[in-house]
Amino acid sequence: MYKAVVFFDLDGTLFDNEKNVSDENVAAIKELRKNNILPVISTGRNIFEIQYVIDATGINSLVSANGSYVQYEGKKLKAEQIDNKVIEDILAFAKEQGDVISFYNNKEFALTAENDMTKVNYRLLRLTPHVDPEFYKHNEVNFLNVFNYDKDKLYQDKFKGQLSLVRNNPRCLDTMKWGVSKQTGIQALMKKLDLGDVPSYAFGDQMNDLQMFAEVKFPIAMGNGVPEAKEKATYVTKSNINGGIVNGLRHYGLIK
């Protein structure tokens, strides 16, 4: 039985500003393991996007795609699938808005089209996209991104009861099956591993971390986090580039 479990968001949290995990954070994760504490990546990203992080940290337990795909030590625990009819509905609506959509599963992704927004987004994520508007017809889709700057409420109202949408960065909305979030992904992992009585911690910085914060006993907001995350936190640590992970773990006595 683990002594505790710690969930780590990536962008703005475990990552530095160049999307890498610092040597300091890698060492902290190794110390967690020595202390019989389970580290878990909890991210809006999909697994294929972060293999280099898995390799660097050794963490192979993940709540990915905002809870849409969950695995423990490399083995699938849970995978959501968005129904093709729902996908076609949001594709039609996005076309009316002039918005691009990307389709994801744990292995690959594709775009309905490219524009300046998608080019910036995927350059920052170090990904090379390809365009395939019919990707969903011949691949399982766990997760979508809808590219726009300010249409959160428009899409949330339109697809209430079908899809959950939350802004992950200024350019796109993370889009999951209705009710799916980092929180439901964490619930699935904790239940499968029978960790209900184990102390739980989570580090995050953005709006898509708020439901994760609601699920764990000790939510920890990064110093660079949004005000809403800091309000929900039991502790606000330093920023992602100023030792925030190590500082937070030490604050709770999880590492020395």
Side-chain angles (χ1 to χ4, degrees):
M1 176 64 74
Y2 294 107
K3 291 181 181 178
V5 57
V6 183
F7 297 92
F8 296 99
D9 173 52
L10 291 180
D11 294 281
T13 302
L14 193 64
F15 279 163
D16 61 24
N17 289 348
E18 282 69 52
K19 312 296 184 184
N20 294 313
V21 183
S22 69
D23 291 343
E24 179 184 52
N25 287 349
V26 171
I29 289 163
K30 288 180 179 177
E31 188 173 347
L32 286 178
R33 284 205 189 85
K34 288 181 181 178
N35 295 337
N36 196 29
I37 296 169
L38 176 66
V40 181
I41 291 171
S42 181
T43 179
R45 295 197 188 210
N46 295 264
I47 291 174
F48 71 88
E49 301 178 66
I50 58 167
Q51 187 58 52
Y52 74 101
V53 182
I54 296 169
D55 294 341
T57 64
I59 299 176
N60 207 8
S61 299
L62 298 99
V63 173
S64 67
N66 279 344
S68 298
Y69 191 94
V70 182
Q71 70 178 38
Y72 172 67
E73 298 301 332
K75 295 182 179 180
K76 181 175 74 173
L77 295 183
K78 179 184 180 183
E80 304 289 352
Q81 183 170 356
I82 301 176
D83 184 78
N84 279 10
K85 176 61 168 65
V86 176
I87 292 175
E88 288 172 354
D89 287 345
I90 196 170
L91 286 175
F93 188 71
K95 186 175 181 179
E96 292 174 3
Q97 304 302 315
D99 295 340
V100 171
I101 285 182
S102 54
F103 314 100
Y104 290 85
N105 56 42
N106 65 305
K107 295 180 180 179
E108 58 184 327
F109 79 111
L111 286 166
T112 56
E114 282 192 305
N115 61 19
D116 290 343
M117 226 180 296
T118 66
K119 290 175 182 176
V120 170
N121 192 72
Y122 291 113
R123 184 168 62 248
L124 291 171
L125 295 178
R126 303 177 180 176
L127 294 173
T128 303
H130 73 278
V131 174
D132 181 1
E134 297 191 343
F135 177 90
Y136 71 98
K137 293 183 179 179
H138 44 87
N139 292 279
E140 180 177 301
V141 174
N142 309 128
F143 177 87
L144 304 168
N145 272 150
V146 182
F147 286 88
N148 60 66
Y149 289 115
D150 56 4
K151 300 175 185 174
D152 307 43
K153 191 173 187 303
L154 183 68
Y155 278 90
Q156 288 163 353
D157 289 348
K158 176 70 175 178
F159 293 97
K160 185 176 183 180
Q162 294 179 293
L163 295 167
S164 292
L165 298 100
V166 61
R167 185 158 296 279
N168 181 34
N169 68 48
R171 295 166 297 280
C172 61
L173 294 167
D174 286 354
T175 305
M176 296 72 65
K177 282 182 66 173
W178 178 252
V180 172
S181 66
K182 288 186 179 183
Q183 182 176 18
T184 63
I186 289 171
Q187 289 171 346
L189 184 141
M190 298 288 278
K191 183 177 180 180
K192 290 275 189 180
L193 301 183
D194 195 23
L195 297 177
D197 295 326
V198 173
S200 55
Y201 304 78
F203 287 81
D205 69 312
Q206 288 295 322
M207 298 296 290
N208 67 336
D209 294 317
L210 297 184
Q211 288 183 309
M212 173 173 72
F213 278 13
E215 188 60 28
V216 301
K217 186 172 182 180
F218 301 104
I220 303 159
M222 306 304 292
N224 51 286
V226 297
E228 293 88 344
K230 293 177 180 179
E231 289 171 7
K232 297 293 183 182
T234 55
Y235 181 67
V236 178
T237 188
K238 298 178 182 178
S239 75
N240 64 313
I241 60 171
N242 289 305
I245 295 295
V246 170
N247 181 69
L249 293 173
R250 285 177 176 161
H251 174 80
Y252 284 105
L254 300 175
I255 63 172
K256 291 182 180 179

